[in-house]
Amino acid sequence: MTALGRNHVTVTGRAGGPVVMLAHGFGCDQNMWRLVVPLLEERFTVVLFDHVGAGRSDLSAWSRERYSSLDGYAQDIVEICHELDLGPVTFVGHSVSAMMGVLAAAREPEAFARLVLLAPSPSFIDDPEQGYRGGFSAEDIQELLESLDANYLGWSGAMAPVIMGNPERPELGEELTNSFCRTDPDIARVFARVTFLSDNREDLAKVTVPTLVAQCSSDAIAPPEVGAFVQARIPGSRLITLNATGHCPQLAAPEETAAAIAAFAGADH
């Protein structure tokens, strides 16, 4: 099985254009980018894929050993880049995929022209000794994971609207809930631990490609201090704060999200 088949890679947009690769977060799939893609494909070659265990990926390729850390996902990203052979890509990683991009770009910087880290968090857990605020205490995260273990569908229904934000637009929270519920619960439990327990703060300084950190103006999952921390740790990176609220700006504010990606990805084209 090739990486392109395993990860259900789809390529659209302008052939020969700068390449933008969009990576989804926990409980989602490439469909989460559907409102952004039409706004990018006139100028860019757009690459979409599903993480193994999500969407239309090859579920038989999932193994607890490979995907119990972000390293397995980062390796998938590198392999997709190799097989596509389209030259260096601008990698756009949403939420946990932002740190997958950090790891992949540190591992093989020549495969990446740029990184866009959308609503990133290198660690969700507060570290008071280091003065780091991730947004959650260790106890918060433990309770979250225990709730997910006990009743994944119930957890999805309660948690997805919190992650999405935008309570005045309940259809957005409902879409995220449905996306969570399509995910195999056993795979979701492993991926949740990878997402919420990983600590990639030390990896940020290893990034050598131009990087844009794009945070939302209000985000229950990744507070503003997190975006500032990421920007401060990645040499030469830029930080922008979108007007969008919630943790999924590609759904809540696709025009603003696409414009930020396009401006950065097409800076020298």
Side-chain angles (χ1 to χ4, degrees):
M1 171 66 72
T2 65
L4 302 186
R6 179 188 66 211
N7 290 90
H8 187 59
V9 174
T10 58
V11 180
T12 183
R14 182 165 76 86
V19 184
V20 174
M21 184 177 187
L22 305 175
H24 66 82
F26 169 82
C28 302
D29 58 31
Q30 61 185 265
N31 189 54
M32 298 297 282
W33 294 104
R34 72 185 184 283
L35 302 179
V36 167
V37 170
L39 305 173
L40 295 176
E41 48 188 11
E42 283 189 19
R43 288 180 59 196
F44 300 94
T45 298
V46 180
V47 176
L48 296 154
F49 70 99
D50 295 329
H51 293 306
V52 172
R56 296 171 65 187
S57 67
D58 180 7
L59 294 183
S60 71
W62 188 86
S63 74
R64 184 180 297 268
E65 181 181 13
R66 183 177 175 99
Y67 296 108
S68 61
S69 80
L70 292 182
D71 290 326
Y73 294 99
Q75 184 59 35
D76 284 354
I77 291 163
V78 170
E79 290 175 14
I80 292 168
C81 290
H82 285 173
E83 289 185 18
L84 283 173
D85 197 22
L86 293 173
V89 307
T90 293
F91 178 87
V92 183
H94 172 237
S95 192
V96 66
S97 284
M99 292 307 113
M100 298 174 191
V102 163
L103 293 173
R107 182 174 302 179
E108 197 157 324
E110 60 274 15
F112 300 91
R114 295 174 179 79
L115 295 181
V116 178
L117 309 181
L118 185 62
S121 179
S123 175
F124 287 99
I125 298 176
D126 299 334
D127 183 355
E129 287 188 11
Q130 298 293 323
Y132 174 78
R133 179 171 179 247
F136 300 87
S137 68
E139 292 75 22
D140 290 336
I141 294 296
Q142 192 56 43
E143 286 180 15
L144 181 152
L145 294 173
E146 288 174 358
S147 173
L148 185 152
D149 285 344
N151 181 358
Y152 177 64
L153 295 182
W155 177 89
S156 298
M159 199 62 192
V162 175
I163 293 171
M164 179 59 72
N166 297 277
E168 74 287 356
R169 299 165 68 189
E171 69 278 4
L172 295 178
E174 187 176 325
E175 174 168 347
L176 191 60
T177 300
N178 291 338
S179 179
F180 281 10
C181 292
R182 286 194 298 270
T183 306
D184 179 279
D186 292 332
I187 292 174
R189 290 182 180 101
V190 176
F191 196 12
R193 279 168 169 74
V194 174
T195 297
F196 292 109
L197 297 177
S198 291
D199 185 348
N200 297 102
R201 288 177 291 169
E202 296 299 317
D203 296 302
L204 299 174
K206 301 172 187 174
V207 174
T208 58
V209 302
T211 299
L212 176 69
V213 181
Q215 63 183 12
C216 295
S217 59
S218 173
D219 184 345
I221 302 300
E225 296 94 327
V226 173
F229 179 91
V230 173
Q231 188 274 323
R233 296 304 190 279
I234 297 180
S237 62
R238 289 175 44 206
L239 172 66
I240 61 170
T241 300
L242 304 173
N243 291 322
T245 59
H247 192 59
C248 301
Q250 68 271 56
L251 284 179
E255 294 87 359
E256 184 184 26
T257 302
I261 294 168
F264 190 67
D268 55 2
H269 292 277

